[in-house]
Amino acid sequence: MKPALSFQQGPKPQSWQDFPHGEYLKAGIERRMARWLPRMFGYHMLKLGCLSGQLDTSESPIDHQVCISSGGPHAGVIAEIDELPFYEHSVDACILSQGLEYHSDPHHILREAHRTLIPGGYIVITGFNPFSLCGLAHMLPFSGEKLPWSGRFFTPSRVKDWLNLLGFEIIADERFIHASLARGSRLSRFAPWRRFCRHYLKPMGSVYMLVARKRVAPLTPIKPKWHARPKWTPAVKGARLKHSRSRHEVSRND
């Protein structure tokens, strides 16, 4: 298993149109995410990265939604997603779409999201599944120089382990879009194959979505233990025994 920290930088996407079949990919993620957005309540939602900022999240009851990105027309706050300029426990939900693959330290991104989320807050993560048709295309020559294969694909189980270590509770793990997403391929030609995969090869979806919630650690009250002072201490008992012996000896001498 390769380490998560890496400083090898490849092409990064700035919009969904940078991916092959980007609009199809974006629509599939929005359709899956729309089932969970109404369950997230609060005041503030962060969209981490320019791709997350372009997603339609109007189904969410959270009104204040801000995109955090290093640039671009959708950026509400100019910042890096691994150095969030927000207080601890100040955000109700985070959206991170196709972001872990194209940053040097994905651990730190999740730690920053965990720091800013309130107890009970939600995080939704989408990414590319390496055990899929899209992941197999990563083995083609010169694929590492093209999107989306220029990033590092992490398995959903590995991302779930990171979330569990941070204290998240995994609520949902979904796989969808059973296609290679290669440029020039016709998705309509493989419609029967995609239907077959949706029924029998669900874990082989090219895109995964994880929904997690920050655990709330319950506070266990510790009741003070009041110890009553004993009526007789060992020293007092010893003194009384010595006093009774001396009186007995005096009576015998008399």
Side-chain angles (χ1 to χ4, degrees):
M1 182 180 297
K2 296 182 179 180
L5 180 62
S6 175
F7 296 99
Q8 296 180 358
Q9 297 294 330
K12 293 183 179 182
Q14 300 299 322
S15 66
W16 291 100
Q17 286 73 24
D18 295 339
F19 292 121
H21 309 287
E23 289 297 330
Y24 177 80
L25 179 63
K26 175 175 176 287
I29 292 175
E30 289 175 343
R31 185 166 55 252
R32 293 280 178 159
M33 196 175 295
R35 305 175 184 176
W36 293 96
L37 291 176
R39 308 185 185 188
M40 305 176 190
F41 298 93
Y43 300 97
H44 309 290
M45 173 186 287
L46 295 185
K47 297 182 177 182
L48 305 179
C50 53
L51 297 180
S52 302
Q54 298 171 32
L55 293 176
D56 181 15
T57 54
S58 57
E59 296 291 333
S60 174
I62 302 177
D63 294 330
H64 186 227
Q65 302 180 9
V66 182
C67 174
I68 313 300
S69 177
S70 58
H74 298 277
V77 176
I78 304 297
E80 297 293 338
I81 63 175
D82 56 352
E83 295 290 344
L84 298 178
F86 300 101
Y87 288 114
E88 185 178 359
H89 302 162
S90 60
V91 177
D92 300 281
C94 287
I95 306 295
L96 177 59
S97 185
Q98 267 63 23
L100 298 178
E101 293 87 346
Y102 304 99
H103 286 80
S104 59
D105 193 355
H107 282 171
H108 197 55
I109 297 175
L110 297 180
R111 283 196 297 267
E112 279 292 280
H114 180 269
R115 180 185 64 84
T116 56
L117 278 174
I118 65 171
Y122 288 87
I123 183 171
V124 181
I125 302 174
T126 64
F128 294 107
N129 182 14
F131 298 134
S132 64
L133 293 177
C134 183
L136 291 177
H138 200 294
M139 303 173 62
L140 297 176
F142 306 104
S143 61
E145 302 175 0
K146 303 175 183 178
L147 290 170
W149 301 281
S150 60
R152 295 174 298 147
F153 292 2
F154 300 105
T155 62
S157 60
R158 190 175 183 184
V159 179
K160 287 193 292 185
D161 287 340
W162 295 344
L163 294 173
N164 285 324
L165 289 175
L166 289 172
F168 282 99
E169 177 187 0
I170 308 300
I171 299 177
D173 178 4
E174 302 181 12
R175 321 286 170 85
F176 50 98
I177 305 184
H178 295 79
S180 64
L181 300 176
R183 192 177 299 276
S185 62
R186 295 176 55 185
L187 296 176
S188 59
R189 181 187 304 175
F190 300 98
W193 165 255
R194 296 202 308 274
R195 287 195 296 269
F196 174 81
C197 293
R198 282 197 298 268
H199 286 87
Y200 302 103
L201 298 176
K202 288 184 179 181
M204 299 293 290
S206 295
V207 179
Y208 68 86
M209 184 181 72
L210 300 177
V211 182
R213 194 173 187 182
K214 186 176 179 179
R215 293 192 187 100
V216 182
L219 298 178
T220 304
I222 301 176
K223 297 181 179 180
K225 297 181 180 180
W226 301 102
H227 297 281
R229 179 178 295 179
K231 296 181 180 180
W232 296 282
T233 60
V236 175
K237 291 182 178 180
R240 290 190 173 182
L241 181 59
K242 183 178 180 181
H243 181 65
S244 61
R245 288 181 179 177
S246 61
R247 291 183 59 185
H248 182 65
E249 293 176 356
V250 171
S251 60
R252 290 179 58 185
N253 294 332
D254 291 340

